[in-house]
């Protein structure tokens, strides 16, 4: 067919299509073995060709529960329940699994997976087609147990059938995966786990969700109200009361069973939520294990256990050194017998002193005066003892000065403040050498007067109170007193001041600190003043100690006088300069110490006088002038013996005294041999060096 060789079997199963061409070759082979001939094979063949007309097969389909399926597909069908398959697309049908069924509709009930086949025939040309559908049955089935009821804590199970090639996954009411992958879910469900549990399955592409409903009966939730303050312990003679609450509705009528060490107890009452049991004046025989069992109408049960211990109280005694004590004093309190496991409480009317300790160090307070109580708790039993305490109050002293530096000669008063008047008091002094001295005082007040360095040290008060033969004392704060020396100071300066002048005053001290001048509040060590009077300066040390020095400046009159006015005298002349009378000292600027001075040279003459320490000066300027006198010698000896070697004008005048000067010498022939332009120029008797 189309160039391919087909056997008769292949041709039979070949799906023909319209206009397919078919060529048939028929071959006969025979063995020839005749006399006179060589044995040989003889093959005869012939062929024929025909065009085959192939009619279309019917478009066969199957519908199940509203869904159409094609050949070879899978349909998910219910298990062990009737369902319908409907074939269409042909004229007549034949269900191959049920040869007698020829209708288009087939009702099936399957218990397992099955392959359903149907042949559809087109009646005109008798063309037919065969269709196969794989039916996969569900895990769900009609008689599955879908609901469970029971008591919380009871094991309950949900289960589906085990089918091949199926995966299982369980989910809780909150759609949370339960990590169970088997067809069966078994658990001891607890209260609050009611709801719908879902089993999700998957097999051959078919998915299901099987719902299971869990209903749990109410179960008693027993709670026992406290019947003991100490972990189930009661004291001999106490009352025992059990009050149970079950959490059940009031309308519920549960059964209550209470036992002591396995023996039933009577005398109780209960209904619904509350159960009561009471026993007064308990004895040792009431000690043991109490068990309450509660059973509901649905046979759900719960129980609770309480262990009761009956203790006997013990006698206790407070042990202390003395019952008369000082306020702020410390003392050990203890008890007999001393059992570490007991509970202890020490207290009085004003405070709780300690709890949980059999021995305690107490610091007595003024308000502790009176009964001291001790309670000892042995589980549920409480024993007690009492001791009367007398507390001698102490004055509480405060307000002493801080450590202080005080200047020598000053006064320091010490006066602490007390919250009460003591019986007696004293001032204690510890000097720098550690020596202690104590001075009784009439009250809490004492002044250190006119202090000096020997009074350095620490000072504090001691106050005392007494009751009977016992005396208690308290101390004030300590004040460290350091006496600082008075700073040295004096003024370096004159004792007087002259009219119109100023003087320097200097404050001199070898003690560190600052100064203050009283007249102008200046803080400089050196000042200049121009007025007579009293000047005071105070030195203030770094510790605030002060000392003052003073200096009185007397007023002295300045010795005013006047020398003659500046003057000019002839060169070579002189005159007397007269100084003032009655001066203590005279000094001219050339060192002369006489009252008067002869002026015989040009210059400045200054006279300084001293009168009572005041100095005054005046001056006069004397100048020399040429008054016209000069002459010429009549002979000279130019022989270089330094005596009359030159010839010229002899005069006291200087060159600058001459406005114009010409001295000319001529020889006997009238020839000029010398010409001088200044009066100081002299002729040496030579002409041109000869």
């Amino acid at each position: 067919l189309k160039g391919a060789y087909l056997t008769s079997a292949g041709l039979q199963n070949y799906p023909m299509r319209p206009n397919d061409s078919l060529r048939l070759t028929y071959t006969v082979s025979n063995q020839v073995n005749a006399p006179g001939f060589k044995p040989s094979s003889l093959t005869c063949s012939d062929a024929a060709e025909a065009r085959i007309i192939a009619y279309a097969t019917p478009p066969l389909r199957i519908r199940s529960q509203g869904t159409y399926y094609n050949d070879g597909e899978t349909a998910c069908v219910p298990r062990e329940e009737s369902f319908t398959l409907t074939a269409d697309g042909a004229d007549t049908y034949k269900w191959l699994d049920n040869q007698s069924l020829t209708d288009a509709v087939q009702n099936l009930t399957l218990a397992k997976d099955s392959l359903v086949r149907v042949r559809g025939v087109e009646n005109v040309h008798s063309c037919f087609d065969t269709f196969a559908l794989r039916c996969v049955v569900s895990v769900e089935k009609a008689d599955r147990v879908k609901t469970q009821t029971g008591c919380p804590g009871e094991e309950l199970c949900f289960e589906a059938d085990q089918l091949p090639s199926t995966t299982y996954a369980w989910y809780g009411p909150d759609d949370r995966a339960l990590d169970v992958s088997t067809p069966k879910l078994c658990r001891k469900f607890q209260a609050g786990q009611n709801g719908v549990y879902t089993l999700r399955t998957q097999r051959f592409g078919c998915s299901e969700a099987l719902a299971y409903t869990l209903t749990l009966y109410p179960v008693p939730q027993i709670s026992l109200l406290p019947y003991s303050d100490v972990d189930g312990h009661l004291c001999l003679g106490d009352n025992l009361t059990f009050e149970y609450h079950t959490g059940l509705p009031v309308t519920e009528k549960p059964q209550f069973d209470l036992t002591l060490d396995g023996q039933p107890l009577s005398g109780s009452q209960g209904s619904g939520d509350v159960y009561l049991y009471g026993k007064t004046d308990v004895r040792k025989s009431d000690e043991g294990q109490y068990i309450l069992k509660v059973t509901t109408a649905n046979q759900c049960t719960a129980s609770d256990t309480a262990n009761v211990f009956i203790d006997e109280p013990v006698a206790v005694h407070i042990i202390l050194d003395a019952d008369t004590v000082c306020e702020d004093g410390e003392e050990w309190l203890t008890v007999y017998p001393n059992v570490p496991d007991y509970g202890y409480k020490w207290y009085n009317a004003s405070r709780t002193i300690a709890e949980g300790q059999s021995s305690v160090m107490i610091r007595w307070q003024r308000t502790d005066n009176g009964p001291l109580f001790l309670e000892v708790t042995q589980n549920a039993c409480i024993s007690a003892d009492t001791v009367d305490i007398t507390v001698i109050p102490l004055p509480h002293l405060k307000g002493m000065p801080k450590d202080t530096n005080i200047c020598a000669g000053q006064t320091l008063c010490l006066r602490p403040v007390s919250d009460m008047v003591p019986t007696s008091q004293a001032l204690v002094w510890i000097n720098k050498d550690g020596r202690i001295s104590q001075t009784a005082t009439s009250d809490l007040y004492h002044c250190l007067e006119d202090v000096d360095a020997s009074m350095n040290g620490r000072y504090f008060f001691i106050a005392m109170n007494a009751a009977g033969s016992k005396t208690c004392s308290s101390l004030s704060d300590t004040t460290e007193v350091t006496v600082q020396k008075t700073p040295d100071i004096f003024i370096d300066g004159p004792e007087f001041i002259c009219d119109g002048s100023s003087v320097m005053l200097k404050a001199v001290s070898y003690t560190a600190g600052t100064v203050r001048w009283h007249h102008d509040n200046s803080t400089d060590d050196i000042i200049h003043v121009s007025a007579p009077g009293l000047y005071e300066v105070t030195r203030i040390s770094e510790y605030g100690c002060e000392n003052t020095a003073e200096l009185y400046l007397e007023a002295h009159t300045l010795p005013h006088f006047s020398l003659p006015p500046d003057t000019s005298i002839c060169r070579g002349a002189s005159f007397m300069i007269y100084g003032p009378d009655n001066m203590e000292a005279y000094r001219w600027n050339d060192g002369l110490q006489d009252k008067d001075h002869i002026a015989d040279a040009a210059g400045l003459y200054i006279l300084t006088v001293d009168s009572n320490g005041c100095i005054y000066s005046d001056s006069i300027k004397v100048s020399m002038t040429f008054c016209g006198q000069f002459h010429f010698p009549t002979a000279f000896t130019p022989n270089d013996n330094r005596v009359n070697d030159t010839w010229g004008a002899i005069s006291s005048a200087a060159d600058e005294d001459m406005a114009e000067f010409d001295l000319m010498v001529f020889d006997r022939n009238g020839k000029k041999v010398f010409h001088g332009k200044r009066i100081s120029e002299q002729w040496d008797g030579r002409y041109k060096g000869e």
Side-chain angles (χ1 to χ4, degrees), residues 343-608:
Y344 299 88
K345 181 179 180 180
W346 302 83
Y347 66 98
N348 55 32
S350 65
R351 62 174 175 143
T352 297
I353 298 170
E355 291 186 272
Q357 301 164 293
S358 59
S359 297
V360 61
M361 173 66 77
I362 183 173
R363 185 180 181 88
W364 295 109
Q365 299 178 5
R366 193 175 300 181
T367 55
D368 292 334
N369 195 69
L372 170 67
F373 301 100
L374 169 64
E375 286 185 358
V376 179
T377 303
Q378 174 201 1
N379 295 323
C381 295
I382 298 178
S383 305
D385 191 21
T386 304
V387 174
D388 286 328
I389 301 296
T390 300
V391 180
I392 301 175
L394 285 180
H396 294 122
L397 307 180
K398 60 181 181 180
M400 286 287 283
K402 295 181 180 179
D403 293 347
T404 184
N405 289 285
I406 185 172
C407 301
Q410 291 183 344
T411 297
L412 175 65
C413 292
L414 306 175
R415 187 172 191 173
V417 177
S418 175
D419 60 350
M420 63 175 295
V421 178
T423 304
S424 60
Q425 56 277 319
L427 177 68
V428 179
W429 171 38
I430 304 175
N431 68 11
K432 293 295 186 181
D433 298 328
R435 184 172 56 86
I436 301 175
S437 61
Q438 182 171 314
T439 303
T441 59
S442 58
D443 56 11
L444 294 171
Y445 182 77
H446 186 79
C447 291
L448 305 177
E449 298 178 346
D450 194 19
V451 298
D452 56 34
S454 65
M455 301 169 71
N456 287 340
R458 289 182 291 136
Y459 293 83
F460 60 90
F461 278 93
I462 180 171
M464 292 154 283
N465 261 357
S469 60
K470 188 172 183 65
T471 299
C472 301
S473 61
S474 62
L475 305 178
S476 71
D477 293 336
T478 298
T479 298
E480 181 80 22
V481 176
T482 303
V483 179
Q484 302 294 340
K485 68 178 182 177
T486 302
D488 60 309
I489 183 71
F490 69 92
I491 300 175
D492 183 15
E495 297 178 352
F496 62 89
I497 186 171
C498 300
D499 295 339
S501 64
S502 64
V503 296
M504 181 183 73
L505 302 182
K506 181 178 181 181
V508 180
S509 176
Y510 300 100
T511 303
T514 61
V515 299
R516 179 178 59 83
W517 294 89
H518 292 199
H519 67 287
D520 62 357
N521 289 325
S522 171
T523 57
D524 296 330
D525 289 341
I526 298 175
I527 63 173
H528 292 83
V529 299
S530 58
L534 180 63
Y535 290 89
E536 295 178 289
V537 64
T538 297
R539 186 68 168 184
I540 306 169
S541 72
E542 58 183 319
Y543 300 104
C545 300
E546 298 182 359
N547 193 13
T548 300
E550 63 181 30
L551 176 67
Y552 185 81
L553 287 180
E554 294 182 357
H556 286 186
T557 303
L558 193 66
H560 291 281
F561 71 94
S562 297
L563 293 178
D566 296 345
T567 185
S568 177
I569 61 173
C570 293
R571 197 175 302 279
S574 64
F575 80 99
M576 182 65 71
I577 304 175
Y578 296 98
D581 296 330
N582 303 319
M583 297 294 112
E584 295 179 4
Y586 301 85
R587 177 176 294 276
W588 295 87
N589 57 334
D590 60 358
L592 184 64
Q593 298 183 7
D594 293 339
K595 169 179 166 299
D596 304 324
H597 194 297
I598 297 176
D600 55 1
L604 181 65
Y605 292 81
I606 303 173
L607 174 59
T608 300

Side-chain angles (χ1 to χ4, degrees), residues 242 259-263 265 286-291 305-308:
F242 287 144
T259 62
L260 170 59
D261 292 337
Q263 299 299 316
L265 293 177
D286 296 315
E287 185 176 75
Q289 186 179 72
Y290 291 77
I291 299 177
T305 300
N307 293 308
V308 176

Side-chain angles (χ1 to χ4, degrees), residues 64 335 379:
S64 176
V335 61
N379 295 323

Side-chain angles (χ1 to χ4, degrees), residues 119-344:
R119 174 174 291 178
V121 180
E122 183 267 326
N123 292 337
V124 175
H125 301 97
S126 299
C127 292
F128 64 90
D129 197 2
T130 302
F131 189 97
L133 178 67
R134 183 180 185 182
C135 293
V136 177
V137 298
S138 66
V139 178
E140 177 71 282
K141 65 178 182 176
D143 61 349
R144 174 175 62 85
V145 177
K146 301 179 180 180
T147 302
Q148 285 284 13
T149 57
C151 298
E154 177 184 354
E155 185 173 76
L156 300 174
C157 294
F158 294 118
E159 187 173 7
D161 289 341
Q162 176 78 53
L163 298 184
S165 302
T166 305
T167 61
Y168 299 86
W170 286 93
Y171 292 83
D174 56 357
D175 204 33
R176 180 175 55 87
L178 300 181
D179 196 24
V180 177
S181 57
T182 61
K184 190 174 185 179
L185 172 66
C186 291
R187 287 199 172 179
K188 292 183 178 180
F189 295 95
Q190 302 301 321
Q193 294 182 336
N194 292 341
V196 176
Y197 290 77
T198 304
L199 174 62
R200 294 174 182 166
T201 64
Q202 186 74 239
R203 58 187 315 268
F204 301 115
C206 295
S207 300
E208 293 181 80
L210 284 65
Y212 298 82
T213 301
L214 174 65
T215 302
L216 295 176
Y217 297 123
V219 69
Q221 303 293 325
I222 302 177
S223 61
L224 174 61
L225 296 184
Y227 62 90
S228 167
D229 293 333
V230 187
D231 194 23
H233 287 261
L234 296 174
C235 195
L236 201 66
D238 286 349
N239 296 329
L240 171 62
T241 300
F242 287 144
E243 181 177 343
Y244 290 95
H245 288 262
T246 66
L248 297 174
V250 177
T251 56
E252 184 80 27
K253 302 296 182 182
Q255 177 182 343
F256 297 96
D257 297 294
L258 180 66
T259 62
L260 170 59
D261 292 337
Q263 299 299 316
L265 293 177
S266 60
S268 60
Q269 56 181 345
S271 65
D273 179 50
V274 180
Y275 174 81
L276 298 174
Y277 173 81
K279 182 70 180 293
T280 60
D281 191 21
V282 295
R283 303 287 95 190
K284 278 300 250 186
S285 59
D286 296 315
E287 185 176 75
Q289 186 179 72
Y290 291 77
I291 299 177
L292 174 66
K293 181 179 180 182
V294 182
T295 305
T296 67
N298 294 312
Q299 299 303 305
C300 295
T301 63
S303 62
D304 187 67
T305 300
N307 293 308
V308 176
F309 305 93
I310 308 300
D311 301 321
E312 297 183 21
V314 297
V316 295
H317 303 283
I318 297 174
I319 301 174
L320 72 168
D321 293 338
D323 54 10
T324 299
V325 297
C326 296
E327 180 184 4
D328 296 334
E330 294 183 339
E331 184 175 1
W332 277 104
L333 303 178
T334 189
V335 61
Y336 178 83
N338 190 331
V339 181
D341 293 337
Y342 288 180
Y344 299 88

